[in-house]
């Protein structure tokens, strides 16, 4: 392939992970296209300094527009997510209540502090009789979106290991069976 342009763009690096989908912590950077022209769709090779960090697909980015680039996973920050247990209990007012308990462990092996944007996903109830909530998070999330995405911005000191626990609670009428969670 041909090198079309080499742009040096200032980057702010962010660590992000969605351990429900992949047990890795990725480096992400939000970049503003400071060039006076759009960046065309295609393959982008990324380097940090002279180190090749991988290739991403880029969609068309207008001049001045923000876009995210992913720089592959960082094995110096690890994440582990496990389901501890689920318990079903008869709730109040003829409802069933099932709680799924999770533990996520983040460890920073870098020699400097990092902040990891950790995301998880609540199931979406396609039905107003089913209520889904995040309960007893050991660390309060920074954001809970209407699509069920939950994000914690988690600072970790050099060498620190941090544990986060939470429950996803599903309440539904006793005469219903729910599947597919």
């Amino acid at each position: 392939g041909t090198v079309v342009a080499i742009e040096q763009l200032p980057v702010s690096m962010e660590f992000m992970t969605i351990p429900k989908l992949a047990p890795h912590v990725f480096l992400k950077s939000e970049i503003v296209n400071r060039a006076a022209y759009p960046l065309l769709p295609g393959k982008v090779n990324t380097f940090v300094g002279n180190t090749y960090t991988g290739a991403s697909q880029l969609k068309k980015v207008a001049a001045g527009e923000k876009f995210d680039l992913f720089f592959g996973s960082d094995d110096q920050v690890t994440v582990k997510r496990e389901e501890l247990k689920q318990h079903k209990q008869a709730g109040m007012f003829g409802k069933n209540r099932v709680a799924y308990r999770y533990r996520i462990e983040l460890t920073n092996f870098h020699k400097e502090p990092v902040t990891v944007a950790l995301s998880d996903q609540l199931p979406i109830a396609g039905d107003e009789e089913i209520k889904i909530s995040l309960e007893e998070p050991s660390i309060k999330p920074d954001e809970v979106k209407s699509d069920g995405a939950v994000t914690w911005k988690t600072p970790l000191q050099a060498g620190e290991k941090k544990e986060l626990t939470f429950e996803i609670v599903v309440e539904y009428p006793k005469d219903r069976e729910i599947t597919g969670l």
Side-chain angles (χ1 to χ4, degrees):
T2 38
V3 174
V4 178
I6 295 177
E7 284 293 331
Q8 292 212 341
L9 298 167
V11 296
S12 61
M13 287 298 204
E14 179 181 61
F15 293 91
M16 65 158 298
T17 182
I18 308 176
K20 183 175 178 173
L21 302 180
H24 300 290
V25 176
F26 294 93
L27 263 172
K28 182 186 99 161
S29 181
E30 184 178 77
I31 301 175
V32 176
N33 177 15
R34 298 194 190 286
Y37 48 83
L39 301 176
L40 296 174
K43 186 175 151 194
V44 181
N45 290 322
T46 50
F47 293 83
V48 175
N50 293 321
T51 309
Y52 173 71
T53 55
S56 324
Q57 281 300 121
L58 197 62
K59 58 180 182 42
K60 183 177 176 186
V61 181
E65 190 184 346
K66 279 186 179 163
F67 61 102
D68 286 341
L69 268 187
F70 291 91
F71 290 85
S73 62
D74 183 323
D75 58 7
Q76 295 296 293
V77 186
T78 62
V79 64
K80 195 169 98 194
R81 178 187 194 267
E82 54 185 340
E83 185 172 327
L84 298 178
K85 59 177 190 296
Q86 53 160 292
H87 49 266
K88 186 169 174 173
Q89 58 204 71
M92 306 277 287
F93 313 116
K95 286 197 180 311
N96 279 329
R97 189 181 149 94
V98 187
Y100 300 86
R101 195 166 181 77
Y102 295 95
R103 176 168 63 210
I104 295 176
E105 208 175 74
L106 285 167
T107 311
N108 175 23
F109 293 99
H110 284 285
K111 303 228 180 326
E112 63 278 334
V114 300
T115 295
V116 180
L118 165 69
S119 295
D120 211 279
Q121 176 72 43
L122 301 180
I124 300 297
D127 182 327
E128 64 274 5
E129 288 194 319
I130 300 173
K131 185 170 159 277
I132 294 169
S133 52
L134 176 78
E135 295 196 6
E136 296 178 35
S138 58
I139 303 170
K140 191 178 172 322
D142 293 86
E143 188 177 37
V144 181
K145 289 199 178 138
S146 57
D147 66 358
V150 185
T151 303
W152 289 265
K153 292 266 175 27
T154 314
L156 294 163
Q157 295 306 313
E160 186 180 9
K161 177 194 273 193
K162 202 171 260 185
E163 189 178 281
L164 164 68
T165 55
F166 59 91
E167 287 192 348
I168 293 176
V169 175
V170 183
E171 288 179 302
Y172 58 98
K174 278 209 163 76
D175 54 5
R176 296 274 301 265
E177 273 306 308
I178 51 168
T179 56
L181 284 180

